[in-house]
Amino acid sequence: MAKQDNIQRCELCGLECELTKHHLIPQSRIRNKYKEIKEDPSNIIWICRSCHDQIHSLWDESTLRDLYNTKDKLLAAPEMQKFIKWKIKHPDFNGHSKMSNDRKSKR
């Protein structure tokens, strides 16, 4: 894990920065029978704030739980690939991502 090894590299975009903890299965979607998963290291990736914001702007927590519950699945998502390519070209960006129009329409 990037943060625990003091590497300080985002596990998605690979840039060096301050990291945040992302639960692959969102905490709010873990039912009682899955409580042991909550802080299991295999349910956590360390990512930069902008990647974290992008994930939560693209997908709601049910979708994250059901479809994007591994690092590989997040990296394979075309929306994240596009964002990561952009992020690598703009490494100084540390702002917040806007919610996608598709996600807004579901609210």
Side-chain angles (χ1 to χ4, degrees), residues 51-92:
C51 283
H52 206 162
D53 288 346
Q54 182 67 11
I55 288 168
H56 288 287
S57 72
L58 290 169
W59 303 293
D60 62 29
E61 293 188 341
S62 294
T63 303
L64 288 170
R65 178 197 61 209
D66 297 340
L67 300 177
Y68 300 104
N69 52 22
T70 69
K71 181 171 85 171
D72 289 340
K73 289 178 182 177
L74 286 169
L75 287 169
E79 302 93 337
M80 281 306 294
Q81 290 177 0
K82 182 178 176 181
F83 177 77
I84 290 168
K85 281 182 186 178
W86 180 88
K87 173 80 167 115
I88 290 169
K89 290 179 183 177
H90 302 88
D92 294 330

Side-chain angles (χ1 to χ4, degrees), residues 33-51:
K33 67 180 181 177
Y34 300 112
K35 274 191 177 176
E36 68 277 1
I37 294 173
K38 198 173 201 174
E39 293 301 321
D40 184 317
S42 67
N43 185 46
I44 295 169
I45 58 173
W46 291 95
I47 57 178
C48 66
R49 171 52 51 199
S50 56
C51 283

Side-chain angles (χ1 to χ4, degrees), residues 9-12 17-22 45-49 51-53 55:
R9 283 192 181 271
C10 174
E11 291 188 50
L12 296 181
C17 55
E18 188 174 330
L19 303 177
T20 62
K21 180 173 24 175
H22 173 69
I45 58 173
W46 291 95
I47 57 178
C48 66
R49 171 52 51 199
C51 283
H52 206 162
D53 288 346
I55 288 168

